[in-house]
Amino acid sequence: MPSPIPVTRLLPRDFGLKVGVCSSPLTKHSGDASLRVPVSKFHGKLVCRLWSSVIHWRELCDLEPIGSGGFGFVFKATYFGETVAVKRVKCAKNKLASRQSFWAELNAAHLQHENLVRVIAASTQANGDDLSGASGDSVIGTIVMEYAGDVNLQQVIYSAAEQLRPESCVRYAVDVARALRHLHAHGIVHLDLKPANVIVSRAGVCKLADFGCSFKVELVHDRAASARRMEIGGTYTHRAPELLRGEDVTPGADVYSFGVTLWQLITREPPYEGERQHILYAVVAFNLRPDLNKHVFSPAGPGCRFKELLRRCWSAEPSQRPSAGQLLKELSEFPS
């Protein structure tokens, strides 16, 4: 099916002019059953600046399943001799949401930043014979990404033997805020920021991953795009109240999620307990937020400063929340 997404939204301006076969449904040549798109000058060099719209399947080998979910499957693999992660997006019951999730994964594909997981290549081709271990579900597309690390921030938070030190919390939070600042500067909101979507490298650097719920702010007044966004949703414990009400997307939604993530870093507890629908209602109607009366937020030490920052991140009014740049400035002023 031809993609409803314009070519200019997917391909960088300086994409190479060579043409090669790929399943990405951007242009179709008459008399040819193959779907073709411009191909970048990507010939075995993973350090290239731009992502490729062609996956060189013969170079993708040694696939090892490392995760699965409603979206599909994730593999660890080798691509042109380098370790990568491969995400195979399957067609779920809601086909529209599945397709939109795949294309949303590419919203930030043209960006390169040390705190963002980089996209290397993507295709609507599955090449399922090579992705062993997956089910027989139909596939929307495949994405090859840098392999950023073996653990995510969720595992760091909840598997540690002891409480994370305040300076560690600040260091992780700064990395995430840097990722948000770069995204927001390019008009992209993540919309599913949570510890499980932050990869921690062996060097201890956080990289924001999983853009399946992301959204381009320029489309906020596009009714069709907004409707597709509502199909995807996000993680309810981290979702801003204005999004639960179906209101417009702003970067403030990510700042709200950042606050919940920072709270988890500090407390090492789940944000809420209880039934999902009760929590959603309380967040919207009664300004329910994670508990700020815990001992870690005592007036002595950095707890008080964290508490004040979290309160502003969780403001019911998105315009009252700090920007990602302001978050960075304030976090840099925390005592080391």
Side-chain angles (χ1 to χ4, degrees):
M1 175 181 290
S3 168
I5 298 180
V7 176
T8 52
R9 285 194 56 207
L10 295 176
L11 303 181
R13 291 181 180 178
D14 51 352
F15 225 52
L17 297 179
K18 293 185 66 177
V19 175
V21 177
C22 176
S23 62
S24 298
L26 303 182
T27 56
K28 187 171 183 177
H29 295 255
S30 59
D32 187 349
S34 298
L35 295 170
R36 296 172 178 268
V37 295
V39 181
S40 66
K41 297 175 182 179
F42 178 82
H43 296 292
K45 296 181 180 179
L46 299 191
V47 295
C48 64
R49 187 173 64 85
L50 302 176
W51 67 283
S52 171
S53 58
V54 169
I55 295 177
H56 299 265
W57 298 104
R58 291 182 180 179
E59 300 294 338
L60 189 61
C61 53
D62 301 327
L63 286 106
E64 172 190 345
I66 57 174
S68 63
F71 60 85
F73 305 88
V74 177
F75 302 82
K76 186 176 181 180
T78 301
Y79 193 50
F80 286 97
E82 295 189 29
T83 302
V84 297
V86 179
K87 189 170 188 177
R88 184 185 187 188
V89 182
K90 70 180 182 181
C91 186
K93 292 182 180 179
N94 189 329
K95 294 183 179 180
L96 177 61
S98 299
R99 292 191 181 98
Q100 180 64 10
S101 177
F102 171 75
W103 292 113
E105 288 277 8
L106 304 181
N107 277 337
H110 63 292
L111 302 180
Q112 284 209 28
H113 189 273
E114 63 178 344
N115 300 119
L116 297 175
V117 172
R118 181 168 59 89
V119 172
I120 296 169
S123 171
T124 53
Q125 215 169 29
N127 206 35
D129 291 341
D130 293 336
L131 299 181
S132 58
S135 71
D137 296 334
S138 59
V139 174
I140 298 294
T142 304
I143 302 171
V144 179
M145 304 167 285
E146 69 167 306
Y147 188 79
D150 297 320
V151 299
N152 59 44
L153 195 56
Q154 174 97 355
Q155 294 166 317
V156 171
I157 292 172
Y158 296 108
S159 65
E162 300 178 355
Q163 203 84 14
L164 292 174
R165 297 176 63 84
E167 54 266 34
S168 297
C169 295
V170 171
R171 178 164 51 86
Y172 290 137
V174 163
D175 281 352
V176 176
R178 282 175 177 159
L180 291 182
R181 182 178 64 176
H182 194 69
L183 281 179
H184 296 170
H186 289 82
I188 300 169
V189 284
H190 188 275
L191 296 185
D192 197 18
L193 171 57
K194 59 182 179 180
N197 285 341
V198 178
I199 306 299
V200 182
S201 73
R202 291 184 178 180
V205 176
C206 291
K207 290 176 176 279
L208 187 55
D210 199 339
F211 288 81
C213 291
S214 66
F215 193 76
K216 291 193 173 182
V217 178
E218 66 188 32
L219 300 177
V220 70
H221 298 301
D222 183 327
R223 292 185 178 181
S226 295
R228 290 193 295 269
R229 172 183 58 80
M230 293 303 293
E231 291 284 347
I232 296 176
T235 305
Y236 77 94
T237 52
H238 294 67
R239 199 157 175 80
E242 67 272 14
L243 298 185
L244 297 175
R245 291 192 294 265
E247 297 174 2
D248 287 346
V249 172
T250 70
D254 282 343
V255 174
Y256 180 96
S257 303
F258 172 90
V260 180
T261 299
L262 178 57
W263 184 92
Q264 290 177 272
L265 271 169
I266 298 167
T267 65
R268 298 182 64 213
E269 296 184 16
Y272 305 108
E273 293 183 359
E275 295 185 13
R276 179 178 182 273
Q277 291 302 322
H278 293 167
I279 292 170
L280 293 176
Y281 181 75
V283 167
V284 173
F286 300 109
N287 289 322
L288 174 68
R289 302 292 188 266
D291 189 1
L292 287 176
N293 293 318
K294 296 184 176 296
H295 70 279
V296 291
F297 298 110
S298 61
C304 186
R305 297 188 67 175
F306 279 128
K307 187 174 183 177
E308 177 57 30
L309 181 59
L310 291 173
R311 277 181 174 155
R312 288 188 290 115
C313 288
W314 295 336
S315 173
E317 175 54 53
S319 63
Q320 298 301 313
R321 298 169 196 158
S323 67
Q326 290 170 330
L327 287 174
L328 277 174
K329 182 178 183 299
E330 294 192 33
L331 288 168
S332 68
E333 294 171 352
F334 273 57
S336 59

